[in-house]
């Protein structure tokens, strides 16, 4: 028994010594920390990549769309969604709306990542030349995040250093200082970035130039404008047009078309010569947890207008509809004459065909027209004749003259009581037929932020501002317009300098880039937001006023600050 | 009392040695029983196996066995030398042996605050988890349902919450080994007793882990007694407690019309045909629960064993949700020699929870004008006009939807005990705990979640290995009026958790479910993780007792945790307690009112590091981007490093009175306490302009003050009729005392000085804007028919400054009343539970009364021009939910429930002896037969966290059962 006892004691002693103090040592094996990782070459690259990520939280995102598309002259609300107040400038447009909180928080998270990259760069073990290119990218991104914040919210918190401790206070830096910081960042980017990058989607020098042109142009209208803002903007834009290597595509449709040269469906055409900067989304779901969701938002509720025989599918034009953004009558009328300017027909789906035998009306076959939205000015006789020709079709008209006809998209009581609120032409540019399944939300189309067509418009707007007339600007407008023309209609598309004013440029901007998450900013920049919303967006017109030029500071920001964080006036 | 004459050896010496063994009614050995020759000082105590050996003078006549909590027995010695004695529990006495941490103690000597739940309480209830057995039975314990899924169990909070973000889970200790995770895996029928340690004196020996209270679970053991075979079985039918009143086809149509939402042609046609589908009825069914247990206990002088096997099977009212569990237990004790003992408690359990999906939620939303089947009886997957609402019945089709969660666990305690000296015992516990969790999900093309999309499969694995290693030294010294007991501990605990997961889309054939994910065309997610933590502790405790009247307990524990940064790892947690047995004083001997009276006071500090590992480090978060199709993974700053994180500590002051009146006809205890928690570990929300949403910090201070009353009355004991009632009520008030050392509110985090830790903070609903109030409404850009909320600061703007505290989810008063009647073999018992003083948020109503017209709606009283109600706003088809929608959801949470009524019958001995059984009892049981609450349709407001959701409806159960001992 003695042996047993000693055995036990020995066993215990061995045990105790084997579980010494290492029990209390904490070693992170599965993760990495800022201090250890960012200094390595791989870690620094990881940090740079991370700085891009937040782009996906704004572009192609529902909140990002709501605050840029709604409440403009182009778009009003469809029947669905919970953010109609953002369009209508109603009570729900307030500090507690997630439509503002989400962009606010996501952009600041992005800014802190940029600050970390820039602040830790001196210690990163990576060749100087490579490092500076990467830093150029990150400076551009930080400038872009601040541009969005300052334009939406006015004087906001400005910090250019990484947060390493607990911060519970925030400032409201005057707008002009934020613009100075943005310009510094973009100048750094221009100085350090190459004309092209080996990986498509990385920031290039032309992207930074285009952005800085937009920044000067934006500041040019402000109270703290510098005298040479317009001319700086014009010079930068012209430099991009002449020297960047980017060219306008021959066919407007090719900018957005998903088909490659062989007509095969793919995303390869998203890397074309006109694109200066686009947010990258990916067909591989592992690389696309947060996809481009615009394909949901701009689509009408086509599938409920049939009496059977039309279902959502994977083909072009039959995607999942969330019925958020409905074009205003102005947006569509702005494309006329549509037999001269090809951009209406190249931009909008107006026909849906039967695509399912289930419940298809007796006599109809797959491929017959189920919904047609014509631009024609119909009267009852014409309507009846059309209906006789297309007996199974639901016929609508977007012609403004037909207002209050039963087939009109623009009935005066176009509230949710009216079925017609959920039907409207659907933009092709958001269509995403490569989604793997019917209800997939995460789209894989890249989101174009800057393209050369817009550089022309920036140049034109800047020259108009600089010169006070459109003598120099008109050629940039006409270049865009000739490209947009049907073959043989180029001359008809041309305008004279006398026809070009700020409103005309904004009209052209809409024809070229409608629905691309910049309209609210364009209208605000040019001081035309109130005027044009009142004129063209009947849902928003009664409510919009001056205080809406700034968005409300999210309540979370105000309540979490230990110092007083002032709300914007009127909220 | 039963005396077994086991031997007849005769000694003729002037002194003779008597030996024997003392057990309780369950044949379990009783340790520490005082065996005395009556009228002398000759005596001894029984050892750990209940055995004793004593030299008695030849002239000794009577042997007296006394033990706290047992009736004293006196046996004539005569010529006997072996005494095997079974002692009976003295029901009236609060003097049974109670398990405390790292040892046992007589109830009468306990200085701390401890509540006990006995075998009887547990065995009688048709509960499937340990937590449910505590409900309404243990003072100071709030046990509320964590969910209504089969196998979900309850969430337990002891004396309120202390921490906002570190865990509030009590520490479970099963047969001496800390038990990580929910105790749903422990089979309640294996449990001998549960002790809930509440005050710091009782919990301080668990130091850093005792702040939220400790629940000690002791399982049945074998011993030197005839083998007993027991079977208990039970079968019950469950049904939905209450159903909401949804709109029928006509009501829905009218609401949609009022809300001005466009109709689809199908809806109009269905309405014209008078269609009104009751979807709830289609998806809900009756469920059942069955539970069978076989146990065998017994042993010899050297070896005792307790074996049990248990099978539990429960199917929910949503028929794709079920839970089944097999568990096996082996408890062994063996004496190697007089001084060395070894043993084990080992449990193996395997449970499968079919989580299913929630067709109930879909059934609540789907239009009553939508029909589930077509004219040929085939399922219509997308009934009604809405493209988003899939048929709620789709997941009931075989193989469409599987979410199977399988947990395999081995939990053991292996111990060895050596009596180094007469009074000095060394014990070593080694407790391995191995858990394997596997979740497999398959969502077929036609499932509700895929809605015709590509099928998806997911497989997730978690493997956790913990071990606890303890070395305990116990020293006892009794000298005259002094009783001294010392316990010392060195303990180490370490945990390693691993995780892997893969999630893929488009598996080529659906019958594979999630078992051949490699064939899937697209990977959606994959990952793995490793998480480790450890704790090292030293503890010492001294119990000192003077003259059986004055007791003192001093403890100290020194704990180190890996989760904290260097320099802050170690914490010291002391406590002290005093107890005075007043009724043992001379001056009490003349009175007859108090048969027992004890006063207790204790003070101590406990800690909490229930935070996730690696919080002190600034971590990076992986980001995902791509460039032209090339992966561009990255790492962004994820959390702010905080190397200053330190122990959260709670100091508790507790006063208690234990009393017995009128020969213990009435007994009970009253306690008041105050717990101050400082260095509160908080996940604090900070301005996002810093780039971070929150940070873990030691920030504030909270206080819990409360009182507890526990009363047991034996109302009738005469003859064959007995009636006993247990009453316990307790109140607790939770308060934030300080935040960030500034004593100011933190509105951003919704923390307020003087308020409980969580409050409902929202606008105050005044009603609905009525006709005639257009101008007043227009100030806030509102219209008649919309919800009217209070402009608290009167600035004509409704914004975050107008929110007010509308209540807290923590109850202030909890009442449990249990009563038991016995007449001959018939017994009847019931348990009532009342919970009061809290506010609940009825998210069920808010989310199912959006009045949008897209989804079906609870049939609420909504505003129209002709119905100027203040309850619900006017339907509005253009809004997904009304403005200020949530303000409708706050209700008083008070409820009163009949938890349980049970009627049983035990067969008399005359019949039992004929069938050679020791015990046979049959019973019928009604679980939650009645409920009284302030929610419409008496929906069950009993939910932890105070938010009533649309998850799975609460149920009641009627069951029958049998208990048989051979």
């Amino acid at each position: 028994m003695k042996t047993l006892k000693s055995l036990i004691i020995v066993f215990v002693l061995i045990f105790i010594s084997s579980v010494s103090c290492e029990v209390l040592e904490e070693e992170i094996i599965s993760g990495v920390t800022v201090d250890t990782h960012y200094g390595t070459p791989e870690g620094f690259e990881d940090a740079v990549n991370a700085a891009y990520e937040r782009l996906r939280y704004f572009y192609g995102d529902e909140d990002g769309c709501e605050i840029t598309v709604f409440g403009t002259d182009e778009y009003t609300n469809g029947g669905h969604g919970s953010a109609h107040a953002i369009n209508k400038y109603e009570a729900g447009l307030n500090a507690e709306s997630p439509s503002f909180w989400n962009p606010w928080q996501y952009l600041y998270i992005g800014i802190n990542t940029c600050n970390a990259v820039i602040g830790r760069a001196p210690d990163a073990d990576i060749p100087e030349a490579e490092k500076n290119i990467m830093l150029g990218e990150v400076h551009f991104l930080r400038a872009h995040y601040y541009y969005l914040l300052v334009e939406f919210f006015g004087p906001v918190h400005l910090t250019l250093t990484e947060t390493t401790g607990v911060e519970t206070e925030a400032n409201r830096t005057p707008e002009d200082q934020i613009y100075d910081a943005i310009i510094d960042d973009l100048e750094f980017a221009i100085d350090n970035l190459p004309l092209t990058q080996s990986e498509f989607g990385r920031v290039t020098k032309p992207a930074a130039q285009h952005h800085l042109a937009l920044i000067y142009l934006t500041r040019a209208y402000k109270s703290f404008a510098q005298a040479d803002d317009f001319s700086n903007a014009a010079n930068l834009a012209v430099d991009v047009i002449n020297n960047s290597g980017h060219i306008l595509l021959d066919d407007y449709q090719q900018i957005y078309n998903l088909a490659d040269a062989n007509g095969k469906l793919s995303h390869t055409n998203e890397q074309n010569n006109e694109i200066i900067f686009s947010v990258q989304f990916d067909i591989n779901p592992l690389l696309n947890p947060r996809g481009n969701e615009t394909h949901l938002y701009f689509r009408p509720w086509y599938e409920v207008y049939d009496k059977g025989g039309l279902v959502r599918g994977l083909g072009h034009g039959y995607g999942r509809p969330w019925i958020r953004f409905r074009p205003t009558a102005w947006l569509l009328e702005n494309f006329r004459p549509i037999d001269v300017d090809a951009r209406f027909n190249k931009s909008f789906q107006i026909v849906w065909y039967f695509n399912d035998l289930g419940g298809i009306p007796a006599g109809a076959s797959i491929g017959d027209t189920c919904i047609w939205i014509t631009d024609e000015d119909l009267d009852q006789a014409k309507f009846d004749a059309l209906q006789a020709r297309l007996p199974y079709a639901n016929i609508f008209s977007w012609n403004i003259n037909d207002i209050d006809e039963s087939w009109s998209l623009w009935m005066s009581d176009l509230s949710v009581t009216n079925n017609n609120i959920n039907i409207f032409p659907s933009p092709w540019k958001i269509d995403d037929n490569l989604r793997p399944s019917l209800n997939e939300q995460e789209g894989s189309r890249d989101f174009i932020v800057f393209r050369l067509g817009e550089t022309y418009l920036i140049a034109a707007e800047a020259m108009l501002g600089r010169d006070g007339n459109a003598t120099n600007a008109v050629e940039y407008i006409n270049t865009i317009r000739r490209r947009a023309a049907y073959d043989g209609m180029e001359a008809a598309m041309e305008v004279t300098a006398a026809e070009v004013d700020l409103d005309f440029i904004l009209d052209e901007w809409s024809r070229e880039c409608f629905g691309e998450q910049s309209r609210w900013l364009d209208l605000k920049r040019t001081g035309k937001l109130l005027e044009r919303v009142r004129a063209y967006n009947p849902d928003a017109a009664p409510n919009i006023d001056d205080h809406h030029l700034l968005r409300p500071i999210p309540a979370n920001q105000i309540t979490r600050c230990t110092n007083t964080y002032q709300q914007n006036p009127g909220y | 009392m039963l005396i077994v004459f086991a031997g007849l050896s005769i000694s003729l010496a002037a002194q003779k040695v008597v030996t024997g063994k003392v057990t309780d009614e369950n044949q379990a050995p009783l340790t520490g029983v005082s065996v005395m020759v009556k009228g002398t000082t000759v005596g001894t105590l029984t050892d750990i196996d209940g055995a004793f050996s004593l030299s008695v003078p030849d002239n000794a006549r009577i042997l007296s066995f006394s033990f706290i909590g047992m009736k004293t027995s006196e046996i004539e010695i005569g010529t006997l030398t072996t005494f095997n004695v079974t002692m009976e529990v003295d029901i009236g006495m609060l003097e049974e042996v109670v398990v405390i941490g790292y040892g046992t103690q007589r109830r009468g000597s306990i200085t701390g605050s401890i509540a006990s739940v006995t075998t009887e309480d547990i065995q009688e209830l048709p509960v499937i988890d340990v937590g449910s057995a505590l409900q309404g039975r243990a003072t100071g314990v709030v046990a509320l349902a964590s969910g209504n899924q089969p196998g979900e169990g309850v969430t337990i909070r002891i004396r309120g919450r202390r921490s906002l973000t570190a865990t509030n889970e009590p520490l479970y200790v099963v047969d001496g080994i800390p038990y990580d995770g929910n105790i749903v895996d422990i089979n309640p029928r294996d449990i001998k007793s549960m002790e809930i340690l509440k005050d710091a004196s009782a919990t301080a020996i668990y130091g850093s882990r005792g702040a939220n209270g400790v629940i000690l679970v002791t399982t049945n053991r074998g011993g030197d007694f005839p083998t007993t075979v027991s079977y208990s079985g039970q079968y019950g039918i469950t049904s939905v407690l209450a159903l909401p009143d949804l709109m029928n086809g006509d009501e829905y149509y009218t609401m949609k019309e009022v809300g001005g939402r466009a109709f689809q042609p199908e809806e109009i046609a269905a309405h014209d045909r008078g269609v009104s589908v009751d979807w709830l009825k289609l998806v809900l069914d009756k469920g059942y629960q069955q539970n069978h247990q076989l146990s065998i206990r017994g042993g010899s002088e050297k070896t005792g064993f307790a074996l049990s096997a248990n099978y539990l099977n429960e199917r929910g009212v949503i028929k794709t949700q079920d839970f089944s569990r097999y568990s096996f237990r082996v408890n062994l004790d063996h004496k190697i020699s007089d001084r060395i003992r070894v043993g084990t408690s080992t449990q193996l359990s395997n449970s499968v929870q079919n989580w299913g999906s929630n067709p109930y939620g879909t059934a609540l939303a789907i239009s009553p004008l939508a029909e589930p089947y077509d004219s040929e009886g085939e399922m219509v997957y997308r009934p009604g006009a809405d493209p988003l609402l899939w048929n709620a019945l789709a997941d009931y089709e075989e193989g469409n939807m599987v979410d199977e969660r399988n947990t395999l666990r081995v939990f053991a305690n292996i111990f060895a005990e050596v009596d180094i000296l007469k009074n000095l015992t060394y014990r070593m516990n080694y407790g391995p705990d191995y858990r394997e969790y596997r979740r497999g999900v398959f969502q077929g093309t036609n499932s509700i979640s895929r809605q015709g999309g590509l099928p998806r499969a997911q497989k997730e694995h978690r493997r956790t290995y913990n071990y606890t290693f303890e070395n305990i030294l116990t020293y006892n010294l009794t000298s005259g009026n002094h009783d001294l007991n010392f316990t010392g501990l060195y303990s180490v605990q370490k945990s390693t958790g691993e995780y892997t997961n893969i999630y893929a889309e488009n598996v080529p054939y659906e019958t594979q479910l999630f078992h051949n994910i490699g064939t899937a065309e697209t990977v959606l997610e994959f990952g793995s993780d490793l998480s480790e933590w450890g704790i090292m502790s030293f503890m010492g405790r001294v119990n000192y007792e003077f003259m059986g009247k004055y007791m003192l307990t001093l403890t100290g524990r020194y704990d180190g945790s890996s989760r904290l940064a260097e320099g802050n790892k170690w914490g010291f947690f002391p406590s002290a307690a005093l107890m005075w047995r007043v009724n043992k004083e001379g001056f009490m001997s003349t009175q007859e009112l108090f048969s027992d009276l004890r006063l207790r006071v204790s003070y101590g500090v406990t800690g909490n590091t229930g935070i996730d590992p690696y919080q002190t480090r600034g971590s990076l978060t992986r980001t995902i981007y791509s460039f032209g199709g090339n992966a561009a993974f990255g790492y962004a700053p994820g959390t702010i490093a905080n190397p200053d994180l330190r122990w959260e500590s709670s100091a508790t002051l507790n006063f208690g009175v234990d009393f017995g009146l009128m020969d213990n006809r009435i007994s009970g205890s009253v306690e008041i306490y105050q717990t101050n928690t400082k260095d509160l570990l908080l996940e604090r929300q900070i301005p996002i302009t810093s780039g971070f949403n929150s940070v873990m910090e030691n920030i504030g201070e909270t206080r819990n003050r409360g009182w507890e009353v526990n009363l047991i009355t034996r109302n009738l004991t005469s003859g064959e009729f007995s009636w006993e009632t247990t009453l316990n009520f307790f109140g607790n008030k939770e308060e934030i005392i300080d935040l960030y050392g500034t004593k100011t509110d933190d509105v951003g985090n919704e923390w307020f000085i003087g308020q409980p830790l969580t409050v409902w903070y929202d606008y105050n609903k005044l009603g609905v804007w009525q006709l005639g109030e257009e101008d007043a409404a227009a100030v806030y850009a509102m219209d008649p028919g919309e919800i009217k909320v209070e402009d608290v600061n009167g600035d004509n703007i409704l914004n975050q400054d107008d929110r007010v505290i509308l209540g807290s989810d923590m109850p202030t008063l909890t009442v449990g009343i249990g009563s038991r009647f016995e007449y001959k073999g018939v017994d009847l018992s019931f348990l009532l539970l009342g919970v009061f003083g809290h506010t609940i948020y009825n998210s069920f109503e808010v989310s199912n009364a959006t009045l949008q017209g897209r989804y079906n709606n609870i049939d609420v009283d909504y505003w129209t021009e002709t119905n100027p109600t203040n309850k619900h706003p006017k339907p509005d088809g253009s809004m997904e939910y009304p403005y200020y929608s949530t303000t409708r959801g706050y209700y008083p949470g008070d409820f009163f429930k009949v938890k349980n009524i049970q009627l049983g019958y035990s067969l008399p001995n005359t019949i039992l002896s004929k069938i050679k059984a020791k015990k046979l009892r049959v019973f019928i049981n009604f679980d939650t037969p009645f409920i009284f609450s302030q929610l419409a349709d008496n929906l069950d407001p009993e939910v932890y966290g105070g938010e009533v959701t649309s998850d799975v409806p609460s149920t009641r159960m009627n069951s029958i059962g049998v208990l048989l001992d051979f």
Side-chain angles (χ1 to χ4, degrees), chain A residues 104-156:
Chain A
W104 174 276
Q105 65 159 331
Y106 296 146
L107 293 169
Y108 271 111
I109 290 169
I111 285 167
N112 188 50
T113 307
C114 294
N115 289 342
V117 178
I118 293 164
R120 288 171 187 272
D123 301 328
D125 177 22
I126 190 165
E128 212 59 23
E130 272 174 60
K131 193 192 281 183
N132 282 336
I133 293 177
M134 289 160 122
L135 282 173
E137 295 172 40
V138 175
H139 279 276
F140 170 94
L141 292 167
R142 183 167 72 180
H144 190 61
Y145 297 148
Y146 271 120
Y147 161 67
L148 294 171
L149 283 167
V150 73
E151 281 302 286
F152 290 127
F153 301 100
V156 292

Side-chain angles (χ1 to χ4, degrees), chain B residues 74-386:
Chain B
E74 296 186 346
I75 298 168
E76 211 157 316
I77 299 172
T79 53
L80 298 174
T81 55
T82 306
F83 297 81
N84 285 339
V85 178
T86 303
M87 295 186 78
E88 265 181 37
V89 173
D90 187 347
I91 297 164
M93 300 283 283
L94 291 160
E95 305 259 316
E96 75 272 32
V97 161
V98 171
V99 180
I100 58 175
Y102 308 108
T104 58
Q105 208 168 13
R106 283 164 298 165
R107 168 68 85 186
S109 300
I110 285 176
T111 52
S113 172
I114 297 181
S116 295
V117 176
T118 62
T119 321
E120 235 176 32
D121 295 327
I122 300 164
Q123 303 294 325
E124 276 186 6
L125 277 180
V127 294
I128 58 164
D129 70 292
V130 174
S132 305
L134 294 175
Q135 233 171 6
R137 282 162 200 275
T139 324
V141 178
V142 177
L144 296 174
S146 15
N148 295 315
Q149 286 265 5
E152 273 304 88
V154 296
T155 300
I156 293 175
R157 292 291 174 264
I158 297 172
R159 287 186 169 177
R161 293 170 298 195
R162 277 144 298 273
S163 184
L164 288 168
T165 33
T167 181
N168 286 296
E169 278 290 307
L171 172 70
Y172 299 100
V173 178
V174 178
D175 290 331
I177 301 294
Y179 192 89
D180 196 33
N182 202 315
I183 45 171
V184 74
D185 296 332
I186 298 267
N187 172 15
R189 299 207 182 278
D190 283 337
I191 292 174
K192 181 163 172 267
S193 70
M194 280 195 283
E195 267 77 31
I196 298 106
L197 314 185
K198 296 185 289 192
D199 71 345
S201 159
T203 61
I205 45 160
Y206 288 101
S208 64
R209 319 191 57 193
N212 298 316
V214 180
I215 296 180
L216 303 176
V217 177
T218 311
T219 61
N220 287 319
R221 305 201 75 81
D224 186 7
F225 53 80
T227 303
T228 305
V229 180
S230 312
Y231 164 79
S232 68
Q234 170 208 326
Y235 181 85
I237 303 278
T238 51
S239 54
V240 175
L241 200 59
L243 277 182
D245 174 20
L246 290 188
M247 290 182 173
N248 63 26
D250 203 42
E251 289 159 344
Y252 173 71
Y253 189 89
T254 310
M255 183 268 292
K256 195 161 176 165
E257 207 166 29
V258 174
R261 196 175 173 91
F263 284 96
Q264 306 314 320
E266 294 95 317
E267 286 179 298
I268 298 170
H271 181 245
D272 290 347
R273 277 185 288 126
V275 170
S276 181
V277 178
D278 186 347
W279 283 91
L280 289 186
K281 211 169 176 178
L282 289 174
V283 297
L284 295 174
D285 197 359
K286 287 212 184 314
Y288 61 80
Q289 187 190 91
Q290 55 176 324
N291 193 3
H292 304 278
Q293 154 120 351
L294 190 64
S295 71
I296 306 168
R297 295 196 296 141
S300 64
E301 197 193 324
K302 279 192 166 273
T303 306
F305 67 90
L307 308 175
S308 76
N310 173 266
Y311 171 64
L312 165 78
N313 174 229
E314 191 183 1
R315 200 198 77 183
V317 289
I318 288 168
K319 66 186 178 189
T320 48
Q321 300 180 344
D322 60 53
F323 177 75
S324 54
R325 179 187 66 210
Y326 296 88
S327 64
F328 305 92
R329 171 169 288 280
V330 180
N331 285 3
L332 286 178
D333 298 274
H334 180 71
K335 249 198 278 190
I336 296 175
S337 73
D338 286 347
R339 296 172 64 179
I340 303 177
R341 296 166 294 278
V342 293
T344 177
S345 312
T346 301
Q347 173 171 297
L348 175 101
S349 65
N350 185 19
S351 62
V352 178
Q353 186 176 28
N354 276 306
W355 187 264
S357 60
N358 184 16
Y360 180 65
T362 310
L364 286 167
I366 203 161
S367 160
L369 298 172
E371 294 167 286
Y373 301 103
D374 65 15
S375 52
E376 277 136 39
E378 292 290 312
M379 183 171 292
V380 180
Y381 284 117
R382 210 187 284 284
D386 197 290

Side-chain angles (χ1 to χ4, degrees), chain A residues 57-58 61 63-65 67 97-109 149 152-153 554:
Chain A
Y57 285 71
F58 183 77
D61 169 78
D63 299 306
C65 283
I67 64 173
S97 165
S99 307
F100 305 112
W101 163 242
N102 285 329
W104 174 276
Q105 65 159 331
Y106 296 146
L107 293 169
Y108 271 111
I109 290 169
L149 283 167
F152 290 127
F153 301 100

Side-chain angles (χ1 to χ4, degrees), chain A residues 304-317:
Chain A
V304 301
Y305 285 84
D306 64 327
K307 299 168 180 84
L310 174 59
V311 296
R312 67 174 72 164
L314 289 172
H316 267 300

Side-chain angles (χ1 to χ4, degrees), chain A residues 213-354:
Chain A
L214 178 63
I215 295 298
Y216 281 129
L217 185 60
T218 308
R219 190 172 73 175
Y221 295 94
K222 297 196 185 283
S223 59
F224 50 87
Q226 305 288 306
D228 54 356
D229 278 348
F230 277 123
S231 65
N232 281 338
N235 294 342
L236 281 158
V238 168
D239 193 27
V240 173
I241 290 165
N242 293 336
N243 305 318
S244 70
H246 287 284
I247 53 160
L248 293 181
L249 299 188
D250 292 339
D251 180 359
Y252 174 81
Q253 193 163 18
Q254 280 300 315
I255 303 164
Y256 303 102
N257 202 348
L258 293 176
D260 65 11
N262 306 316
K264 201 174 162 233
L265 299 174
S266 78
H267 277 203
T268 51
N269 205 40
E270 295 192 313
Q271 303 183 17
N272 63 56
N273 277 334
E274 185 161 341
I275 292 169
I276 296 173
F277 185 63
S278 60
V279 179
Q280 301 291 297
F281 292 92
D282 210 281
I283 193 78
N284 178 351
L286 280 175
L287 302 180
N288 205 43
R290 204 179 164 95
N292 179 347
E293 296 195 340
T294 49
H295 65 93
L296 304 163
Y297 307 136
F298 292 83
R299 196 182 301 282
W301 208 4
Y302 65 92
E303 57 193 345
V304 301
Y305 285 84
D306 64 327
K307 299 168 180 84
L310 174 59
V311 296
R312 67 174 72 164
L314 289 172
H316 267 300
Y318 293 84
R320 180 173 175 178
W322 279 24
I323 319 119
R324 296 290 191 268
F325 304 117
R326 171 189 171 80
T328 58
W330 175 82
L331 173 69
L332 304 183
E333 292 291 339
N334 186 39
F335 286 96
R336 290 189 190 277
I338 63 170
D339 49 356
V340 175
D341 190 335
R343 285 176 293 193
F344 180 83
N345 284 321
K346 288 178 176 179
S347 292
F348 287 104
Q349 176 184 14
I350 52 167
V351 184
W352 284 263
Y353 303 104
F354 289 106

Side-chain angles (χ1 to χ4, degrees), chain A residues 26 38 96 105 163 417 560, chain B residues 260 614 617 635 690 693 763:
Chain A
E26 190 175 42
Y38 277 7
E96 281 164 72
Q105 65 159 331
T163 304
T417 44
R560 289 180 188 178
Chain B
Y614 317 127
R617 315 289 195 87
Y635 280 101
S690 63
N693 255 315
Y763 296 95

Side-chain angles (χ1 to χ4, degrees), chain A residues 464-477:
Chain A
L464 179 72
R466 180 192 62 195
D467 306 340
N469 62 61
T471 316
N472 290 306
V474 68
E475 186 43 30
Y476 290 93
I477 298 280

